[in-house]
Amino acid sequence: MNDWLLTAFPGDAELELPDIVVRLVAALLLGGAVGAIYRATRQRPTSGRADLTQTLLLLAVVIAMITLAIGSNVARAFSLVGALAIVRFRSVVDDPRDTAFVILAVAVGLAVGAGFLVVPLVGLPIAAVVALGFAARARGRDAGPVPCRVVVRVDPDRDPAGLFGIVAAALAN
């Protein structure tokens, strides 16, 4: 790289260009993995609304870039937190599960940007298994009524038919 460019931006001296490229490409690939897990386990189709998958992919890269910019500089970290605190998001997250995937994308971006590639490589398969398990459970629940048995224990001195009559009358009102 040209010397004049390096002297103009001395803060970039901590990381070399190949390291930055590798980390951002890794964030892109792992963000894609987060998006793929989200899409594979999504319970409801998106109807006319923007797909969260694209946001997850971009979020991992953006967070990696922010982490690369912060580096180990505490003053930079506080200034970025202050700057990002004024950002206000106007879209409402309908499903808490979507929020969990956004946090997962942020964690992937932070880990990759900080140079800890092993963390998302180990964490993503675990998160995928959990998400797939919950998705399979939700699909099974939607298939029909779940067989169950209700056991009501009544004091031997009470008449069970009379108790059920009281409950039925209360529910009818």
Side-chain angles (χ1 to χ4, degrees), residues 9 13 21 50 66-68 74 77 98 106-107 111 116 133 137 139 155 160 168:
F9 297 98
V21 170
I66 290 171
T67 306
L68 285 167
V74 176
D98 292 351
V106 168
F116 299 107
R137 183 173 180 217
R139 279 191 292 275
D155 188 21

Side-chain angles (χ1 to χ4, degrees), residues 14-107:
E14 296 175 15
L15 286 174
E16 297 293 323
L17 182 61
D19 294 334
I20 294 170
V21 170
V22 166
R23 287 184 187 186
L24 291 178
V25 169
L28 179 68
L29 294 174
L30 291 171
V34 172
I37 295 167
Y38 171 76
R39 185 167 277 195
T41 61
R42 182 176 48 211
Q43 281 119 19
R44 57 182 167 40
T46 56
S47 57
R49 294 191 57 199
D51 190 9
L52 186 66
T53 307
Q54 298 168 3
T55 304
L56 296 172
L57 179 70
L58 288 171
L59 192 60
V61 175
V62 169
I63 294 296
M65 289 172 58
I66 290 171
T67 306
L68 285 167
I70 291 172
S72 60
N73 189 325
V74 176
R76 239 183 281 161
F78 280 114
S79 65
L80 279 171
V81 167
L84 292 174
I86 64 170
V87 175
R88 185 173 171 194
F89 298 100
R90 299 216 178 247
S91 60
V92 177
V93 178
D94 297 329
D95 188 2
R97 191 178 157 282
D98 292 351
T99 305
F101 275 96
V102 168
I103 293 170
L104 180 61
V106 168

Side-chain angles (χ1 to χ4, degrees), residues 91-163:
S91 60
V92 177
V93 178
D94 297 329
D95 188 2
R97 191 178 157 282
D98 292 351
T99 305
F101 275 96
V102 168
I103 293 170
L104 180 61
V106 168
V108 166
L110 279 170
V112 171
F116 299 107
L117 185 61
V118 174
V119 172
L121 288 177
V122 171
L124 272 179
I126 294 170
V129 166
V130 171
L132 287 168
F134 283 136
R137 183 173 180 217
R139 279 191 292 275
R141 186 175 51 227
D142 294 339
V146 177
C148 63
R149 183 174 69 172
V150 177
V151 177
V152 179
R153 296 179 191 251
V154 180
D155 188 21
D157 297 334
R158 303 279 250 172
D159 176 31
L163 289 176

